[in-house]
């Protein structure tokens, strides 16, 4: 399963801070700071974890480039992301589990290893997510 599917969850705009850290010239540290805010916002019951329902709700707000949402695709994406992020298989995603995935995504798209994702790297990440 491609990690890029997680990027799509990168649960868009704000959640894109997860998946494709919404980078113009995003650093790993700035992506992590945005992620902390997004984690708290998505954790609607404030238990310190993301449930499958919370992830599904966040991903459901995603849209394609035309402002449309394919609900079947969104459900598959949310399930794939959740199953990848829930590394200890306890049925919930902790902040460290989700952050580990964010860091993996950031490093994947930081093609030149300079600690930043911008320009062509950002374009490549977006293209990868559209696949």
């Amino acid at each position: 399963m491609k990690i890029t599917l997680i990027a799509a969850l990168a649960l868009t705009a704000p959640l894109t801070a997860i998946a494709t850290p919404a980078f113009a010239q995003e650093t790993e540290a700035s992506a992590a700071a945005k992620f902390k805010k997004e984690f708290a916002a998505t954790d609607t019951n404030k238990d310190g974890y993301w449930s499958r329902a919370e992830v599904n709700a966040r991903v459901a707000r995603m849209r394609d480039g035309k402002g449309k949402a394919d609900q079947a695709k969104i459900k598959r994406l949310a399930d794939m992301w959740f199953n990848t992020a829930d590394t200890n298989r306890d049925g919930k995603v902790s902040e460290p589990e989700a952050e580990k995935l964010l860091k993996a995504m950031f490093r994947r798209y930081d093609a030149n290893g300079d600690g930043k994702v911008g320009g062509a790297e950002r374009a490549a990440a977006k293209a990868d997510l559209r696949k």
Side-chain angles (χ1 to χ4, degrees), residues 11-131:
L11 301 157
T12 68
L15 214 42
T16 296
I18 299 177
T20 56
F23 2 77
Q25 191 63 274
E26 191 81 80
T27 65
E28 190 171 336
S30 63
K34 289 177 185 177
F35 166 75
K36 286 195 175 297
K37 289 180 184 175
E38 181 61 29
F39 191 92
T42 301
D43 179 18
T44 56
N45 66 1
K46 304 303 177 207
D47 68 351
Y49 296 92
W50 283 353
S51 67
R52 191 174 294 272
E54 288 168 328
V55 170
N56 285 340
R58 178 60 185 101
V59 176
R61 293 192 295 269
M62 293 176 62
R63 299 286 182 260
D64 67 13
K66 299 172 188 149
K68 298 177 184 176
D70 177 339
Q71 294 305 313
K73 187 175 183 180
I74 286 171
K75 172 83 169 97
R76 284 192 312 274
L77 176 63
D79 287 343
M80 284 187 275
W81 186 90
F82 191 92
N83 293 336
T84 301
D86 183 17
T87 56
N88 65 3
R89 304 293 180 242
D90 65 355
K92 54 191 174 185
V93 176
S94 67
E95 188 170 346
E97 285 174 316
E99 190 170 21
K100 181 178 178 182
L101 193 51
L102 168 68
K103 287 179 180 182
M105 289 305 304
F106 188 93
R107 290 181 184 131
R108 175 185 174 113
Y109 292 115
D110 181 13
N112 65 4
D114 69 354
K116 299 175 187 168
V117 175
E121 293 166 325
R122 182 178 182 185
K126 284 183 175 182
D128 203 20
L129 291 176
R130 288 188 185 113
K131 293 180 185 176

